[in-house]
């Protein structure tokens, strides 16, 4: 009777160990699935477009991209081939294009990576303006951009270049090259 009782205890302990091992394996697999989900996009869009209006119902800014991916872990939005358009009353809009970009969760800080092109068409009061640079940081609320990289400002027929740039795209327009500035200018 004692040996039969010992055998039953042995079987119960074995089954408990087997059940514990199975539960641990199941839990580790679920943790791995959760970690993968946290580091992946929670939604995406192909052909993304967003338009922001001011209090008067006039366009303030537009953002479009070939592809957009939103990440839940940090709330950031990753953009491929973003085009940002900043509107000013009674002036032509500024267009900013880049290879890729990351919009912070706050919706105000946009990091444009790779080559960036900034353009404003000519109007009756302003000449055309093109800026070539890279790795541009844009504050959308204040229409301010800056970079530590090389930048070139072209307002035909004039051309100025330097290292580092700060730009404000609302009146009064302010463009500032930070160091090693040189240029070529023609008198009309």
């Amino acid at each position: 009777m004692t040996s039969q009782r010992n055998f039953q205890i042995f079987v119960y302990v074995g089954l408990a160990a087997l059940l514990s091992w199975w539960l641990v394996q199941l839990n580790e697999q679920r943790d791995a699935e959760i970690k993968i989900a946290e580091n992946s996009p929670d939604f995406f869009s192909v052909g993304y477009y967003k338009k922001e209006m001011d209090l008067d119902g006039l366009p303030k800014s537009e953002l479009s991209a070939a592809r957009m991916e939103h990440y839940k872990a940090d709330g950031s939005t990753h953009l491929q081939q973003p085009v940002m358009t900043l509107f000013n009353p009674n002036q032509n809009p500024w267009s900013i294009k880049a290879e890729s970009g990351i919009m912070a969760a706050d919706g105000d800080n946009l990091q444009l990576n790779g080559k960036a092109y900034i353009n404003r068409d000519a109007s009756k009061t302003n000449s055309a303006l093109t800026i070539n640079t890279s790795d541009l940081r844009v504050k959308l609320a204040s229409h301010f951009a800056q970079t530590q990289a090389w930048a070139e400002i072209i307002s035909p027929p004039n051309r100025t270049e330097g290292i580092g740039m700060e730009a404000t795209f609302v009146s009064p327009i302010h463009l500032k090259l930070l160091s090693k500035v040189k240029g070529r200018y023609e008198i009309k």
Side-chain angles (χ1 to χ4, degrees), residues 158-161 181-185:
N158 304 319
R159 181 176 165 267
T160 308
E161 65 180 65
V181 178
K182 59 183 177 177
R184 187 182 74 220
Y185 308 98

Side-chain angles (χ1 to χ4, degrees), residues 28-96:
E28 286 177 357
Q29 182 181 14
R30 195 181 86 207
D31 287 346
E33 289 173 4
I34 290 171
K35 287 179 184 175
I36 291 170
E38 288 175 355
N39 295 330
S40 62
D42 56 342
F43 61 89
F44 72 95
S45 174
V46 176
Y48 175 75
Y49 178 78
K50 172 188 148 187
K51 188 173 206 171
E52 183 180 4
M53 310 297 267
D54 66 11
L55 295 174
D56 297 323
L58 299 172
K60 184 177 178 182
S61 65
E62 290 179 349
L63 177 61
S64 62
R67 181 177 174 88
M68 178 276 297
E69 294 178 341
H70 182 268
Y71 289 81
K72 183 179 180 180
D74 62 359
S76 67
T77 303
H78 295 237
L79 306 163
Q80 292 177 4
Q81 301 170 347
V83 177
M84 184 80 208
T85 305
L86 302 172
F87 295 95
N88 290 314
N90 305 319
Q91 293 184 5
N92 283 340
W94 291 89
S95 176
I96 305 171

Side-chain angles (χ1 to χ4, degrees), residues 1-54:
M1 182 84 144
T2 317
S3 66
Q4 186 178 8
R5 181 83 175 142
N6 287 342
F7 180 73
Q8 285 179 337
I9 291 173
F10 180 74
V11 169
Y12 289 136
V13 169
L15 287 173
L18 192 60
L19 179 64
S20 296
W21 174 81
W22 179 73
L23 289 173
V24 167
Q25 294 298 319
L26 183 65
N27 191 33
E28 286 177 357
Q29 182 181 14
R30 195 181 86 207
D31 287 346
E33 289 173 4
I34 290 171
K35 287 179 184 175
I36 291 170
E38 288 175 355
N39 295 330
S40 62
D42 56 342
F43 61 89
F44 72 95
S45 174
V46 176
Y48 175 75
Y49 178 78
K50 172 188 148 187
K51 188 173 206 171
E52 183 180 4
M53 310 297 267
D54 66 11

Side-chain angles (χ1 to χ4, degrees), residues 86-89 91 94 141-144 167-174:
L86 302 172
F87 295 95
N88 290 314
Q91 293 184 5
W94 291 89
S142 59
H143 287 197
F144 176 79
T168 305
F169 302 111
V170 291
S171 291
I173 306 297
H174 181 74

Side-chain angles (χ1 to χ4, degrees), residues 118-185:
I118 304 169
N119 187 54
R120 182 192 65 196
D121 292 333
S123 67
K124 292 178 184 177
T125 57
N126 297 315
S127 60
L129 192 65
T130 302
I131 302 170
N132 299 313
T133 189
S134 60
D135 301 328
L136 192 65
R137 290 180 305 280
V138 181
K139 298 275 292 173
L140 300 177
S142 59
H143 287 197
F144 176 79
Q146 66 181 357
T147 183
Q148 297 301 316
W150 172 86
E152 171 185 53
I153 301 171
I154 303 169
S155 182
N158 304 319
R159 181 176 165 267
T160 308
E161 65 180 65
I163 306 296
M165 180 190 71
E166 294 177 348
T168 305
F169 302 111
V170 291
S171 291
I173 306 297
H174 181 74
L175 302 172
K176 179 180 177 183
L177 294 171
L178 302 177
S179 67
K180 298 183 182 177
V181 178
K182 59 183 177 177
R184 187 182 74 220
Y185 308 98

